[in-house]
């Protein structure tokens, strides 16, 4: 198993969930923002090329940032055959495509997109939430290559195990990818940064902060005992081993 972080960079995130590169000068009166990285992952397995979450929908010189990052990693985006989505907040799904003349153009039309339909149903009701893009969700709901996941836990093929955890969002889900003796764990926004392990805090920005906190405590112990590789979506140090000093 080979894991490649696709780092979009570090951003200032406003209360309205607008992502601005950290290097951009502050605007007059700009306060109250969070700082975080954005980092989907490419996982290479025998006969499989998997994308875990899809990042932002940014475009550079006419090319979607996500496609550039995949190509710079040495892979053809057209070879990705599976996309795993933890939840449907816009910073995790905008990279699936872009709008052109009112139509949504997929970046990965050949890939099966695994998602929680209950998360989509919930997101479509959240028109006042800055975390969801209703325009993107409406387009997403009509994609022909969606693979709904109807259970709270289960497996996809021989290498992937998933569990609906809630926490950050009502139907947020996490993934374990296993190959041989290796296990990579992706806690998505229930465990987005290593700093979340330093203090046992229930974050108010989560739908159920207490549940997310309890899961982090459990996962940290399991990761140490079982030598998991842990993938962190919002951290510049995006791959860690919790048994490291």
């Amino acid at each position: 198993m080979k894991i490649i972080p696709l780092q979009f960079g570090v951003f200032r995130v406003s209360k309205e969930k607008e992502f601005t590169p950290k290097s951009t000068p502050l605007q007059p009166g700009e306060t109250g923002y969070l700082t975080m990285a954005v980092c989907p992952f490419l996982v290479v397995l025998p006969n499989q090329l998997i994308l875990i979450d899809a990042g932002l929908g940014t475009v550079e010189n006419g090319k979607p940032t996500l496609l550039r990052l995949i190509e710079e990693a040495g892979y053809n985006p057209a070879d990705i055959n599976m996309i795993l989505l933890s939840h449907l907040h816009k910073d995790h799904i905008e990279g699936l495509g872009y709008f052109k003349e009112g139509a949504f153009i997929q970046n990965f039309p050949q890939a099966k997109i695994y998602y929680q339909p209950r998360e989509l149903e919930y997101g479509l009701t959240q028109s006042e939430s800055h975390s969801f893009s209703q325009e993107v969700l409406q387009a997403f709901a009509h994609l022909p290559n969606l693979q709904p996941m109807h259970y709270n836990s289960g497996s996809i093929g021989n290498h992937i195990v998933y569990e609906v955890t809630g926490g950050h969002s009502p139907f947020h889900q996490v993934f374990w990818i296993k190959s041989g003796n290796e296990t990579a764990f992706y806690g998505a926004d229930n465990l987005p940064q290593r700093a979340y392990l330093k203090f046992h805090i229930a974050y108010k920005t989560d739908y159920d902060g207490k549940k997310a906190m309890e899961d982090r405590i459990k996962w940290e112990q399991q990761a140490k005992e079982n030598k998991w590789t842990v993938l962190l979506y919002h951290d510049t140090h995006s791959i860690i081993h919790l048994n490291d000093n």
Side-chain angles (χ1 to χ4, degrees):
M1 176 165 54
K2 184 177 181 181
I3 303 168
I4 302 167
L6 303 171
Q7 276 283 2
F8 276 67
V10 181
F11 299 84
R12 298 195 306 272
V13 185
S14 70
K15 294 178 181 178
E16 293 74 33
K17 304 301 185 201
E18 296 298 328
F19 285 70
T20 304
K22 187 180 178 182
S23 58
T24 304
L26 288 169
Q27 298 300 310
E30 184 179 357
T31 59
Y33 57 83
L34 301 173
T35 301
M36 65 179 67
V38 173
C39 184
F41 294 90
L42 198 62
V43 180
V44 185
L45 293 171
N47 303 315
Q48 281 187 300
L49 189 59
I50 303 167
L51 177 66
I52 304 180
D53 281 339
L56 301 169
T58 51
V59 175
E60 305 166 3
N61 299 318
K63 172 172 281 191
T65 302
L66 183 56
L67 298 186
R68 174 182 65 78
L69 291 171
I70 293 168
E71 291 173 354
E72 288 179 354
Y75 293 88
N76 184 345
D79 291 335
I80 291 175
N81 49 32
M82 178 183 295
I83 299 173
L84 305 176
L85 298 179
S86 62
H87 62 298
L88 302 182
H89 285 172
K90 60 186 181 182
D91 58 312
H92 289 253
I93 68 167
E94 281 186 343
L96 292 174
Y98 57 94
F99 289 93
K100 183 177 181 180
E101 298 178 356
F104 187 75
I105 308 300
Q106 287 202 71
N107 287 330
F108 310 99
Q110 74 291 340
K112 294 181 178 180
I113 302 174
Y114 289 83
Y115 78 106
Q116 273 295 328
R118 291 170 292 175
E119 174 82 0
L120 177 58
E121 291 173 9
Y122 173 78
L124 289 170
T125 69
Q126 302 301 300
S127 58
E128 301 301 316
S129 171
H130 297 296
S131 295
F132 294 99
S133 167
Q134 293 300 318
E135 182 182 32
V136 174
L137 285 182
Q138 291 286 350
F140 176 86
H142 294 93
L143 297 181
N145 47 329
L146 295 181
Q147 298 290 316
M149 303 159 70
H150 295 293
Y151 301 102
N152 287 331
S153 62
S155 60
I156 304 170
N158 297 321
H159 298 285
I160 300 165
V161 174
Y162 69 90
E163 179 182 336
V164 178
T165 60
H168 183 66
S169 66
F171 301 102
H172 179 284
Q173 59 187 5
V174 302
F175 298 95
W176 292 261
I177 301 178
K178 304 180 180 184
S179 180
N181 295 323
E182 295 180 87
T183 297
F185 172 69
Y186 179 61
D189 278 9
N190 279 359
L191 180 51
Q193 299 174 327
R194 186 165 189 162
Y196 275 53
L197 299 172
K198 292 183 178 180
F199 307 100
H200 299 317
I201 297 174
Y203 290 94
K204 294 181 179 179
T205 51
D206 289 334
Y207 179 81
D208 186 344
K210 183 179 179 181
K211 176 64 165 57
M213 177 188 69
E214 292 171 347
D215 281 343
R216 281 192 291 273
I217 295 170
K218 175 182 67 178
W219 294 331
E220 180 179 14
Q221 185 61 37
Q222 292 174 341
K224 289 178 178 178
E225 291 174 354
N226 297 289
K227 296 181 170 59
W228 293 349
T229 298
V230 179
L231 312 183
L232 303 173
Y233 188 82
H234 286 305
D235 203 312
T236 53
H237 300 287
S238 49
I239 299 177
I240 64 171
H241 303 276
L242 294 184
N243 56 328
D244 288 349
N245 293 324

